[in-house]
Amino acid sequence: GQQVMQIPQYQHVQEGEDFTTYCNSSTTLSNIQWYKQRPGGHPVFLIQLVKSGEVKKQKRLTFQFGEAKKNSSLHITATQTTDVGTYFCAEKISSGSARQLTFGSGTQLTVLP
Amino acid sequence: GAGVSQSPSNKVTEKGKDVELRCDPISGHTALYWYRQSLGQGLEFLIYFQGNSAPDKSGLPSDRFSAERTGGSVSTLTIQRTQQEDSAVYLCASSLGAGNEQYFGPGTRLTVT
């Protein structure tokens, strides 16, 4: 079945440092979505990537989709305490499950002031 | 407009009792998902409804779990004979269609004593 690998599982950074989380799939993806869940909250949609090699930016967040559409990354520049939370990727494979979206295990980010 | 709502927000029940959790999706969203999230863990897929199609029940952990969606709108997740390991936050999400961005409700925190 489809494997959704997300690394690292945990990341502690000092405020101002950069942070990156990666998602890797064993199959070619149709698209990939990223969500953020604040502590005590629910996941909130951030962005969707569709095209091979696509790069999108949201302020200090940069999202990339691999050329082979099998991996993606989320990079945060100069982290702030408001970035604290768990970041999930959600992968849509090109064919297969009617459900179509599979969530990664998440990367829990802690930002130390 | 209104987002996804869930009720109750918190539920404490005794082991062996049945519970019903309700989800009101965003109006017009044909896809509805139930997930379970234990403390500090990822999203565990439970069940998926898409329009009038047969639901994808592949994530239900046991036959004590069931769900229905009436009239293509409101959904109810029922857990029979609750066990302590059922304690978790149950999240509902809806989307315009399969694979589209998902909008999550605030969740129901279930505690089985």
Side-chain angles (χ1 to χ4, degrees), chain A residues 8 14 21-23 27 33 37 40 49-50 64 72 80 82 91 93 95 97 105 108 113:
Chain A
Q14 206 70 37
T21 174
Y22 301 89
C23 261
T27 56
Q33 299 173 11
Q37 184 176 23
L49 304 173
V50 179
Q64 286 191 300
S72 180
Q80 300 176 358
T82 53
E91 304 180 343
I93 59 175
S95 62
S97 163
S105 52
Q108 190 171 319

Side-chain angles (χ1 to χ4, degrees), chain B residues 7-67:
Chain B
S7 60
S9 55
N10 281 284
K11 177 71 175 178
V12 180
T13 190
E14 293 180 351
K15 177 182 172 181
K17 300 280 190 181
D18 297 353
V19 294
E20 281 191 355
L21 312 180
R22 177 187 168 104
C23 172
D24 279 272
I26 292 173
S27 177
H29 281 194
T30 61
L32 186 147
Y33 308 77
W34 282 98
Y35 297 91
R36 179 168 70 175
Q37 188 174 37
S38 300
L39 187 63
Q41 301 300 308
L43 298 168
E44 178 187 3
F45 166 77
L46 297 177
I47 190 169
Y48 159 65
F49 296 89
Q50 171 59 54
N52 296 321
S53 302
D56 175 357
K57 304 179 182 181
S58 60
L60 294 178
S62 77
D63 59 8
R64 295 187 296 105
F65 289 72
S66 63

Side-chain angles (χ1 to χ4, degrees), chain A residues 66-85:
Chain A
E67 293 290 342
K69 299 185 74 173
K70 286 188 175 183
N71 57 74
S72 180
S73 65
L74 158 58
H75 179 83
I76 302 178
T77 304
T79 55
Q80 300 176 358
T81 54
T82 53
D83 296 325
V84 164

Side-chain angles (χ1 to χ4, degrees), chain A residues 8-92:
Chain A
Q9 187 175 0
Y10 303 97
Q11 184 77 59
H12 293 186
V13 299
Q14 206 70 37
E15 188 172 19
E17 292 181 337
D18 292 356
F19 158 77
T20 305
T21 174
Y22 301 89
C23 261
N24 296 298
S25 174
S26 56
T27 56
T28 301
L29 305 173
S30 175
N31 66 46
I32 193 162
Q33 299 173 11
W34 286 91
Y35 292 77
K36 176 184 178 181
Q37 184 176 23
R38 295 181 183 273
H42 56 274
V44 174
F45 174 80
L46 293 177
I47 207 160
Q48 175 171 284
L49 304 173
V50 179
K51 299 177 183 176
S52 167
E54 189 170 14
V55 178
K56 287 188 176 180
K57 292 191 175 184
Q58 289 180 351
K59 297 182 180 178
R60 295 177 294 103
L61 277 61
T62 302
F63 304 83
Q64 286 191 300
F65 203 6
E67 293 290 342
K69 299 185 74 173
K70 286 188 175 183
N71 57 74
S72 180
S73 65
L74 158 58
H75 179 83
I76 302 178
T77 304
T79 55
Q80 300 176 358
T81 54
T82 53
D83 296 325
V84 164
T86 301
Y87 293 84
F88 294 97
C89 63
E91 304 180 343
K92 180 179 178 181

